[in-house]
Amino acid sequence: MLKLVLVPATLLVVSWVGIRFGPRASGWLAGLPVMAGPILFLLALERGPAFGAASATASLPALAGTVAFNTVYSRLALAGRGPVTALTGAVVVWVAIAFLVSGLPHFVPLGLAIALGALFLGPHAIPKPDVPLSVPPLTAGALAFRMIAGAALTVAVTGIAAPLGPAWSGPMTLFPVVSAILGVSSHLWQGGAVAAVLLRALIIGMVSLAAFLAAAALLLEPLGLAWGFLAAIAAALAAQAATWYAGAGRPAARSDGRSVS
């Protein structure tokens, strides 16, 4: 039920935020561990807190792959490439980085340093597109696509990740399902510039995901499944609040005084 309901419901909320406040706010909100959190919880529930902590530790450097995915997709979309080309290029880069980080030592400070370095550099690698004040609204078909794809990919990723062991279950937990779904659907229905704005904001919002993974890696074993995840969620929310305070998810203002995301 969690696999089939939680992620699609979260994508629906993220989509509503995008409709109400624009793609920048939607991407920022999607940076929360809406995908990795449920998958990591399911892995820990099925395999134990120690497995979950090891997966979280392995997931931290894999954040670099998700940042690279968003960056490559955004640049290709801004260059006028279609969703298939942009998605293919982004997935190839993600796979390459996932292979690299899967062999790294499972050491929380190292993983956190790689994750934060990638999160800092990623937004600077994506040009800020000039998005029109009025963008095409998401249709009912786009919303259905997001929810169905979210459920299907969550089931697929958790099914693949669990038998692989902590070294690969960590990177698989961070397979950019949310980035792919939101990026492709925005690209198809609203244009490449909107997709780039959303994915750039998503990178900034993923600071909360880094905080979540670091807390889970350190606290799942000593605190147990319930308290460990509550502590990780608290760390994620605190980090997300900090990025909002810094202006990450707020609509940007144009020179004419009107706002645009």
Side-chain angles (χ1 to χ4, degrees), residues 40 53 62 76 85 100 112 116 119 134 146 149 151 154 166 180 204 226 247:
L40 190 64
L76 289 173
T85 301
L100 289 175
L112 186 59
L116 293 179
L119 291 169
S134 178
R146 287 182 173 184
T154 302
I204 299 171

Side-chain angles (χ1 to χ4, degrees), residues 32-165:
L32 283 165
V34 295
M35 181 71 186
I39 291 178
L40 190 64
F41 176 79
L42 292 168
L43 288 173
L45 188 66
E46 294 169 358
R47 300 300 178 99
F51 188 96
S55 295
T57 303
S59 296
L60 272 170
L63 265 172
T66 305
V67 171
F69 178 98
N70 286 18
T71 302
V72 170
Y73 192 105
S74 297
R75 292 190 70 92
L76 289 173
L78 290 173
R81 302 291 189 267
V84 174
T85 301
L87 181 62
T88 301
V91 169
V92 168
V93 171
W94 180 86
V95 170
I97 294 178
F99 268 107
L100 289 175
V101 302
S102 66
L104 293 176
H106 288 188
F107 187 48
V108 174
L110 173 63
L112 186 59
I114 293 172
L116 293 179
L119 291 169
F120 174 77
L121 294 173
H124 296 287
I126 302 174
K128 291 183 179 180
D130 186 23
V131 179
L133 285 173
S134 178
V135 298
L138 284 172
T139 65
L143 294 175
F145 169 82
R146 287 182 173 184
M147 296 177 68
I148 293 170
L153 287 177
T154 302
V155 171
V157 170
T158 52
I160 294 170
L164 295 178

Side-chain angles (χ1 to χ4, degrees), residues 3 5 26-27 39 43 45 47 61 80 86 90 100 103 113 117 127 133 168 170 185 190 198 204 220 232 257:
K3 294 176 184 179
V5 174
S26 178
I39 291 178
L43 288 173
L45 188 66
R47 300 300 178 99
L100 289 175
L133 285 173
W168 261 102
S185 58
Q190 297 176 300
L198 188 153
I204 299 171
L220 270 180

Side-chain angles (χ1 to χ4, degrees), residues 3-17:
K3 294 176 184 179
L4 293 174
V5 174
L6 185 56
V7 172
T10 303
L11 287 170
L12 184 62
V13 172
V14 168
S15 299
W16 178 85
V17 169

Side-chain angles (χ1 to χ4, degrees), residues 228-247:
F229 265 98
L230 285 175
I233 291 169
L237 293 176
Q240 193 77 347
T243 59
W244 174 263
Y245 182 77

